[in-house]
Coordinates of all heavy atoms in Angstrom, one line a residue:
R276 N 75.7 88.2 147.8 CA 77.1 87.7 147.9 C 77.6 88.2 149.3 O 77.5 89.4 149.5 CB 77.9 88.4 146.7 CG 79.2 87.8 146.5 CD 79.9 88.3 145.2 NE 80.1 89.8 145.2 CZ 80.7 90.4 144.3 NH1 81.2 89.9 143.2 NH2 80.8 91.8 144.3
P277 N 78.2 87.3 150.0 CA 78.6 87.7 151.4 C 79.6 88.9 151.3 O 80.5 88.9 150.5 CB 79.3 86.5 151.9 CG 78.8 85.3 151.1 CD 78.5 85.8 149.8
G278 N 79.4 89.8 152.2 CA 80.3 91.0 152.3 C 80.0 92.1 151.4 O 80.6 93.2 151.4
D279 N 78.9 92.0 150.6 CA 78.6 93.2 149.7 C 77.8 94.2 150.4 O 76.6 93.9 150.9 CB 77.6 92.6 148.5 CG 78.4 92.2 147.3 OD1 79.7 92.6 147.2 OD2 77.9 91.5 146.4
P280 N 78.3 95.4 150.6 CA 77.5 96.5 151.1 C 76.4 96.9 150.2 O 76.5 96.8 149.0 CB 78.5 97.6 151.3 CG 79.9 97.1 151.2 CD 79.7 95.8 150.3
A281 N 75.3 97.4 150.7 CA 74.2 97.7 149.8 C 74.4 98.9 148.9 O 74.2 98.9 147.7 CB 72.9 98.2 150.7
V282 N 75.2 100.0 149.4 CA 75.5 101.0 148.6 C 76.9 101.5 148.9 O 77.4 101.7 150.0 CB 74.6 102.3 149.0 CG1 74.9 103.6 148.2 CG2 73.1 102.0 148.9
L283 N 77.7 101.7 147.8 CA 79.1 102.2 147.9 C 79.2 103.3 146.9 O 79.2 103.1 145.7 CB 80.1 101.2 147.6 CG 80.5 100.1 148.7 CD1 81.5 99.1 148.0 CD2 81.0 100.8 149.9
V284 N 79.2 104.5 147.4 CA 79.3 105.8 146.5 C 80.4 106.7 147.2 O 80.4 107.0 148.4 CB 78.0 106.5 146.3 CG1 78.2 107.7 145.5 CG2 77.0 105.6 145.6
A285 N 81.3 107.1 146.2 CA 82.4 108.0 146.8 C 82.1 109.4 146.9 O 81.3 110.0 146.1 CB 83.5 107.9 145.7
S286 N 82.6 110.1 147.9 CA 82.7 111.5 147.9 C 84.1 111.7 147.3 O 85.1 111.4 147.9 CB 82.7 112.1 149.3 OG 83.2 113.4 149.2
A287 N 84.3 112.3 146.1 CA 85.6 112.5 145.5 C 85.8 114.1 145.5 O 86.6 114.5 144.7 CB 85.6 111.9 144.1
E288 N 85.4 114.7 146.5 CA 85.6 116.2 146.6 C 87.0 116.5 146.8 O 87.6 117.5 146.2 CB 84.9 116.7 147.9 CG 83.5 117.3 147.6 CD 83.4 118.1 146.3 OE1 84.1 119.2 146.2 OE2 82.7 117.6 145.4
R289 N 87.8 115.6 147.6 CA 89.2 116.0 147.7 C 90.0 115.8 146.4 O 90.9 116.7 146.1 CB 89.8 115.0 148.8 CG 91.2 115.3 149.2 CD 91.7 114.4 150.2 NE 91.2 114.5 151.5 CZ 91.5 113.7 152.6 NH1 92.3 112.7 152.4 NH2 91.0 113.9 153.7
A290 N 89.7 114.9 145.6 CA 90.4 114.7 144.4 C 90.1 115.9 143.5 O 90.9 116.4 142.7 CB 90.0 113.4 143.6
R291 N 88.8 116.4 143.5 CA 88.4 117.6 142.7 C 89.2 118.8 143.2 O 89.7 119.5 142.4 CB 86.9 117.8 142.7 CG 86.1 116.7 142.0 CD 84.6 117.0 142.3 NE 83.9 115.9 141.9 CZ 83.3 115.8 140.6 NH1 83.4 116.8 139.9 NH2 82.5 114.7 140.3
T292 N 89.2 119.0 144.5 CA 89.8 120.3 145.0 C 91.3 120.2 145.0 O 92.0 121.2 144.7 CB 89.2 120.7 146.4 OG1 89.4 119.5 147.3 CG2 87.8 121.0 146.3
V293 N 91.9 119.1 145.5 CA 93.3 119.1 145.8 C 94.1 118.7 144.5 O 95.1 119.3 144.2 CB 93.7 118.1 146.9 CG1 95.2 118.1 147.2 CG2 93.0 118.4 148.2
L294 N 93.5 117.7 143.8 CA 94.3 117.3 142.5 C 93.8 118.2 141.3 O 94.4 118.2 140.2 CB 93.9 115.9 142.2 CG 94.4 114.8 143.2 CD1 94.1 113.4 142.7 CD2 95.9 114.9 143.5
G295 N 92.6 118.8 141.4 CA 92.0 119.5 140.3 C 91.5 118.5 139.2 O 91.3 118.8 138.1
W296 N 91.0 117.4 139.7 CA 90.5 116.3 138.9 C 89.0 116.5 138.6 O 88.3 116.9 139.4 CB 90.7 115.0 139.6 CG 90.2 113.8 138.9 CD1 90.6 113.3 137.7 CD2 89.2 112.9 139.3 NE1 90.0 112.1 137.4 CE2 89.0 111.9 138.4 CE3 88.3 113.0 140.4 CZ2 88.1 110.9 138.4 CZ3 87.3 111.9 140.4 CH2 87.2 110.9 139.5
Q297 N 88.7 116.2 137.3 CA 87.3 116.4 136.9 C 86.9 115.2 136.1 O 87.4 115.0 134.9 CB 87.1 117.6 136.1 CG 85.7 118.0 135.6 CD 84.8 118.3 136.9 OE1 85.2 119.1 137.7 NE2 83.6 117.8 136.8
P298 N 86.1 114.2 136.5 CA 85.7 113.1 135.7 C 84.9 113.6 134.6 O 84.0 114.4 134.8 CB 85.0 112.1 136.7 CG 84.6 112.9 137.7 CD 85.5 114.1 137.9
R299 N 85.1 113.0 133.4 CA 84.5 113.5 132.1 C 83.6 112.5 131.5 O 82.9 112.8 130.5 CB 85.6 114.1 131.2 CG 86.3 115.3 131.7 CD 87.3 115.8 130.6 NE 88.4 114.9 130.4 CZ 88.9 114.7 129.2 NH1 88.4 115.1 128.1 NH2 90.0 113.9 129.0
R300 N 83.8 111.2 131.9 CA 83.1 110.2 131.2 C 82.1 109.5 132.2 O 82.2 108.2 132.5 CB 84.1 109.2 130.6 CG 85.0 109.9 129.7 CD 86.3 109.0 129.6 NE 87.4 109.5 128.8 CZ 88.3 110.3 129.3 NH1 88.4 110.7 130.6 NH2 89.2 110.8 128.5
T301 N 81.1 110.3 132.7 CA 80.3 109.8 133.7 C 79.0 109.1 133.3 O 78.3 108.5 134.1 CB 79.9 111.0 134.7 OG1 79.3 111.9 133.9 CG2 81.1 111.5 135.4
D302 N 78.7 109.2 132.1 CA 77.4 108.6 131.5 C 77.5 107.0 131.5 O 78.5 106.5 130.9 CB 77.2 109.1 130.2 CG 75.9 108.5 129.5 OD1 74.8 108.7 130.1 OD2 76.0 107.8 128.6
L303 N 76.6 106.4 132.2 CA 76.7 104.9 132.4 C 76.7 104.2 130.9 O 77.5 103.3 130.7 CB 75.7 104.3 133.2 CG 75.7 102.8 133.5 CD1 76.9 102.4 134.1 CD2 74.4 102.4 134.3
D304 N 75.9 104.6 130.0 CA 75.8 104.1 128.8 C 77.1 104.2 127.9 O 77.6 103.3 127.3 CB 74.7 104.7 127.9 CG 73.3 104.1 128.3 OD1 73.2 103.7 129.6 OD2 72.3 104.1 127.6
A305 N 77.7 105.4 128.1 CA 79.0 105.5 127.4 C 80.1 104.7 128.0 O 81.0 104.2 127.3 CB 79.4 107.1 127.6
I306 N 80.1 104.5 129.4 CA 81.1 103.6 130.0 C 80.8 102.2 129.5 O 81.9 101.5 129.1 CB 80.9 103.7 131.5 CG1 81.3 105.0 132.1 CG2 81.8 102.6 132.2 CD1 81.1 105.3 133.6
V307 N 79.6 101.8 129.5 CA 79.3 100.4 129.0 C 79.7 100.2 127.5 O 80.2 99.2 127.0 CB 77.8 100.1 129.3 CG1 77.4 98.8 128.5 CG2 77.5 99.9 130.7
A308 N 79.5 101.3 126.7 CA 79.7 101.2 125.3 C 81.3 101.0 125.0 O 81.6 100.2 124.2 CB 79.3 102.5 124.6
D309 N 82.1 101.7 125.9 CA 83.5 101.4 125.7 C 83.9 100.0 126.1 O 84.7 99.4 125.4 CB 84.3 102.5 126.6 CG 84.3 103.8 125.9 OD1 83.8 104.0 124.8 OD2 84.7 104.9 126.6
A310 N 83.3 99.5 127.1 CA 83.6 98.1 127.5 C 83.1 97.1 126.5 O 83.9 96.2 126.1 CB 83.0 97.7 128.8
W311 N 82.0 97.4 125.9 CA 81.4 96.6 124.8 C 82.3 96.6 123.5 O 82.7 95.5 123.0 CB 80.0 97.0 124.5 CG 79.3 96.4 123.3 CD1 78.9 97.1 122.2 CD2 78.9 95.1 123.1 NE1 78.3 96.2 121.4 CE2 78.2 94.9 121.9 CE3 79.1 93.9 123.9 CZ2 77.8 93.7 121.4 CZ3 78.6 92.7 123.5 CH2 77.9 92.6 122.2

Side-chain angles (χ1 to χ4, degrees):
R276 191 171 63 177
D279 269 345
V282 182
L283 281 179
V284 174
S286 163
E288 267 318 296
R289 187 181 285 174
R291 288 170 192 268
T292 52
V293 180
L294 299 183
W296 177 68
Q297 185 65 46
R299 295 184 289 137
R300 304 159 182 91
T301 54
D302 178 61
L303 181 61
D304 285 25
I306 293 174
V307 167
D309 284 351
W311 172 242

